[in-house]
Amino acid sequence: MAPAVGKRGRLRRCGGRRRCGRGTLIACAAWTAGWVLAAALLLRAHPGVLSERCTDEKSRRILAALCQDYQGGVLVGDLCQDLCVAGRLLYRRCLYYERGKKVLQADWRGRPVVLKSKEEAFSSFRRPGLLEDQAWKGSQDFPEAELLLLVAGEVKNALGLELSHGGLGPLWPRLRGPRWRGQLASLWSLLQQEEFVLLSLLQDLSRHAPPVLGSCGHFYAVEYLAAGSPHHTALFPLGGASRGLARAISDMALSFLDLVSHFDNDFSHRLHLCDVKPENFAIRRDFTVVAIDVDMAFFEPKMREILEQNCTGDEDCNFFDCFSKCDLRVNRCGAERVNSNLQVICDKIFRHWFSSTLWSSAISLELQLQLQETVQECADLGHPAGHPQRAPPNVFWKLQRLLQATLRELQEVDN
């Protein structure tokens, strides 16, 4: 019996250690989860924390590899000759690397441009199935209808849009000549980049998006515009603007309202901006606002797909600046966004400009107070802690009316 008691005693002591171990494990798990959550929140607020160091040496190596692939016939593009042979597209500096994305500044025939790619290497992109199909291995005479169907499928995958053949516009592959395989592979690398697809479809349709100027392999070029920054007094570099700060801010604010109306109403689907911050916008010389980074911009079908996720509370339904609500009956986020582009712009941009009544002595105090209150009303409607709801249309028109009145008062002072 004694051995049995001893065994039971050892088992009891062992069970005690197990209970202690479980308690320690739970404490460790909670501690780890806390740090993981903190790290996730840090990365969400500052995605560049774990980004690669942006260097000229690496950027030049990336472009050298691109040109090597071009000279080997692996890839093509209307900018490749200027970049790799003629020396008319010259690298200037590295702007940033972020989660694989490479963004470089260059001069193209004396014009500043930005070269972008979602990935560093051409080989990182999935090749089109047609290039692997033995039936078309040595020929470009594959059915046009099949190719159109494949391109439309890539567009749907990138943006959630179902486009007719006529709606493919600049994305239509014009394959010709002996380098058609490189043309098709290059196109496919670009179709896998949501920003390229979006900007290509907006080409010539939007004054608030930069045009795509050309491409070489998986890199595409857009016009260079100096990005905004919270370190600027007016959020955006105004250069040698002849007008005063108050007038420039009013013009930019009106252009932001025009952008909101344009993205809400001028396409077949609303375009949602889910990452609103000064760094993702730029200002032209005429104070037109341009969305220069649209990696987090989604048309309505893709937005609904992103938002409709499992949840245990409303906080699980916030995708950066785009909020939904959790239906606790089914623990599922609603597919409809409950805040708006206008509310986020009021919160992230307009608050900075109009939170004080001291931004211009040339504008009446009454008008400044009205503008401040309206911006506050607009921003608070979309705040996640305040049960977000869509801003009523009158807030947009009220803001527009107050900004136009501001410009009139400034004009009267000038006269």
Side-chain angles (χ1 to χ4, degrees):
M1 292 297 292
V5 171
K7 285 178 184 175
R8 281 197 298 271
R10 283 195 296 274
L11 285 171
R12 201 174 294 120
R13 287 194 297 274
C14 183
R17 284 198 299 272
R18 283 176 183 162
R19 284 193 294 273
C20 290
R22 281 197 297 271
T24 303
L25 185 61
I26 290 169
C28 278
W31 180 85
T32 303
W35 276 106
V36 168
L37 177 60
L41 291 172
L42 176 66
L43 286 174
R44 177 169 170 173
H46 304 285
V49 167
L50 295 183
S51 295
E52 293 179 76
R53 185 162 168 257
C54 190
T55 67
D56 287 335
E57 181 185 359
K58 179 161 186 178
S59 300
R60 292 183 189 278
R61 282 205 310 268
I62 292 170
L63 294 181
L66 181 71
C67 287
Q68 187 174 0
D69 283 343
Y70 168 65
Q71 288 155 356
V74 177
L75 56 83
V76 297
D78 50 2
L79 294 181
C80 289
Q81 184 72 11
D82 281 357
L83 175 66
C84 303
V85 180
R88 289 192 287 261
L89 179 54
L90 301 172
Y91 169 81
R92 289 303 177 208
R93 64 186 178 116
C94 180
L95 293 177
Y96 64 88
Y97 300 160
E98 187 174 290
R99 291 169 291 184
K101 185 177 182 179
K102 303 294 183 284
V103 183
L104 317 174
Q105 186 179 340
D107 284 343
W108 181 43
R109 304 188 182 197
R111 176 183 186 179
V113 298
V114 176
L115 295 174
K116 293 185 173 187
S117 176
K118 189 176 180 180
E119 301 288 349
E120 175 180 327
F122 187 68
S123 59
S124 300
F125 294 93
R126 172 175 42 84
R127 286 164 57 84
L130 281 174
L131 291 181
E132 312 302 329
D133 192 333
Q134 293 297 323
W136 312 109
K137 206 80 172 171
S139 168
Q140 69 179 91
D141 296 326
F142 38 75
E144 182 179 283
E146 183 177 345
L147 182 57
L148 277 167
L149 196 62
L150 290 171
V151 172
E154 291 296 322
V155 172
K156 183 177 181 182
N157 184 56
L159 303 184
L161 298 180
E162 294 191 12
L163 299 180
S164 64
H165 293 174
L168 293 174
L171 297 174
W172 168 237
R174 297 172 178 82
L175 306 182
R176 55 185 179 273
R179 303 189 76 168
W180 68 270
R181 295 176 64 83
Q183 291 174 14
L184 186 57
S186 298
L187 172 66
W188 240 248
S189 72
L190 294 169
L191 288 175
Q192 291 168 61
Q193 302 184 59
E194 294 85 352
E195 183 178 66
F196 170 82
V197 177
L198 177 57
L199 292 178
S200 296
L201 293 178
L202 295 180
Q203 192 99 335
D204 302 323
L205 296 178
S206 177
R207 59 198 167 277
H208 294 293
V212 175
L213 303 175
S215 64
C216 179
H218 56 304
F219 273 87
Y220 58 98
V222 297
E223 66 176 322
Y224 172 78
L225 293 167
S229 167
H231 302 300
H232 292 297
T233 303
L235 294 181
F236 300 95
L238 300 178
S242 57
R243 62 189 69 195
L245 181 63
R247 187 176 180 86
I249 287 175
S250 300
D251 281 334
M252 290 188 291
L254 281 168
S255 186
F256 265 111
L257 291 183
D258 186 68
L259 176 147
V260 166
S261 177
H262 177 54
F263 286 175
D264 279 358
N265 304 309
D266 291 353
F267 307 116
S268 56
H269 297 284
R270 177 175 291 159
L271 183 60
H272 297 272
L273 302 176
C274 294
D275 190 13
V276 173
K277 56 186 178 184
E279 297 92 327
N280 287 343
F281 298 91
I283 305 295
R284 295 190 193 278
R285 290 181 182 276
D286 65 355
F287 296 96
T288 298
V289 174
V290 181
I292 57 173
D293 189 330
V294 291
D295 279 333
M296 297 287 285
F298 307 98
F299 282 112
E300 183 73 23
K302 191 74 172 182
M303 185 81 266
R304 296 177 72 87
E305 179 186 322
I306 290 169
L307 290 176
E308 201 170 20
Q309 304 294 330
N310 294 331
C311 62
T312 56
D314 286 346
E315 64 278 1
D316 296 330
C317 303
N318 297 342
F319 181 76
F320 293 84
D321 291 326
C322 294
F323 307 145
S324 176
K325 290 185 71 64
C326 183
D327 185 344
L328 293 175
R329 295 170 299 179
V330 293
N331 293 112
R332 193 79 173 162
C333 297
E336 184 176 0
R337 182 184 178 187
V338 294
N339 66 338
S340 67
N341 291 339
L342 176 61
Q343 290 161 336
V344 181
I345 286 170
C346 281
D347 187 28
K348 300 289 187 72
I349 306 292
F350 287 5
R351 270 194 208 269
H352 178 90
W353 286 336
F354 306 117
S355 60
S356 168
T357 57
L358 301 175
W359 63 289
S360 176
S361 59
I363 302 168
S364 65
L365 182 60
E366 180 184 2
L367 183 53
Q368 290 191 56
L369 283 171
Q370 286 181 311
L371 196 48
Q372 181 183 355
E373 290 167 2
T374 306
V375 166
Q376 186 76 25
E377 176 190 1
C378 171
D380 286 348
L381 281 169
H383 199 275
H387 304 291
Q389 54 184 311
R390 287 197 183 279
N394 67 299
V395 172
F396 175 93
W397 298 115
K398 188 175 179 182
L399 277 170
Q400 187 180 71
R401 178 176 58 78
L402 291 170
L403 288 166
Q404 289 169 342
T406 298
L407 286 175
R408 283 194 300 271
E409 285 197 5
L410 290 169
Q411 186 65 42
E412 289 171 6
V413 170
D414 290 344
N415 293 337

